[in-house]
Amino acid sequence: MLERRSALAAAKPYRSNVLQLGEAGGFTLTQVAGLGADFGVRLRTVLGELPAKVGMAAESNGRTVMRVGPSQFWVIAPQADDLSGVGAVTPLSNSRVRILIDGAQARDVLSKGMALDFHRTVFTPGTFAMTGLHHTPVLVHCIGENSFHLYALRTFAMSVWDWLADAALEYAA
């Protein structure tokens, strides 16, 4: 039987006194989309309260639900959910890698390569943005004061990792 191999298996670990970079595995990612007034009702029945606007995430029943479009959501959970019948369901787990960047300098590192305002009063926990990092699409999710998850396409995961590690070099111990 084939075993899943991390796209970051060859990544050199990064840790300093003020910054940590690592793979945050152990998740499933499912995209759910739908139209019609009953879509939101069906989705709320399964997932609980939904984020009110695009760019916001909500925690509910061990899941993170991100509104990535007006009627489109990403559902991040520790294990796969059965969301069949709710809307158009697309499993994305095998196509994405989740990278954790955590520490006092995380915002500075990210701002080197993303055209986003990472100020603590603007990019707060629970917000996210789909953007680019060195011409590579990523979703960056603020999960804590100085903690972020980056969701990168599997084929570009090492490129994103290398860019982050290089941008963090000035903070190496």
Side-chain angles (χ1 to χ4, degrees):
M1 177 177 218
L2 294 176
E3 289 185 34
R4 182 183 162 121
R5 181 172 182 251
S6 168
L8 296 175
K12 183 178 174 188
Y14 182 92
R15 181 179 226 95
S16 75
N17 293 334
V18 294
L19 198 63
Q20 172 191 342
L21 185 61
E23 182 173 7
F27 72 98
T28 63
L29 174 59
T30 307
Q31 179 175 282
V32 184
L35 298 173
D38 64 331
F39 169 66
V41 173
R42 288 193 318 267
L43 195 57
R44 226 179 314 334
T45 301
V46 175
L47 300 176
E49 198 54 40
L50 301 175
K53 62 182 186 173
V54 174
M56 297 301 299
E59 302 290 327
S60 179
N61 301 323
R63 300 178 192 98
T64 301
V65 180
M66 298 178 178
R67 185 180 287 265
V68 296
S71 295
Q72 186 175 1
F73 298 85
W74 276 15
V75 180
I76 298 116
Q79 56 194 10
D81 283 315
D82 181 11
L83 300 173
S84 57
V86 174
V89 177
T90 307
L92 299 175
S93 302
N94 291 326
S95 68
R96 299 295 192 285
V97 171
R98 182 170 65 179
I99 299 170
L100 170 71
I101 181 166
D102 178 64
Q105 304 303 322
R107 291 174 185 274
D108 293 335
V109 169
L110 293 173
S111 67
K112 289 180 181 184
M114 295 182 205
L116 296 173
D117 186 349
F118 282 103
H119 193 273
R120 286 172 171 71
T121 61
V122 177
F123 210 78
T124 57
T127 59
F128 71 88
M130 289 187 171
T131 186
L133 176 66
H134 195 54
H135 307 290
T136 302
V138 296
L139 182 143
V140 58
H141 177 209
C142 183
I143 59 170
E145 180 70 23
N146 295 309
S147 296
F148 300 86
H149 279 155
L150 277 74
Y151 293 85
L153 291 166
R154 181 176 173 79
T155 51
F156 298 113
M158 275 306 297
S159 177
V160 169
W161 179 276
D162 288 342
W163 189 95
L164 290 167
D166 187 58
L169 282 175
E170 72 178 281
Y171 306 110

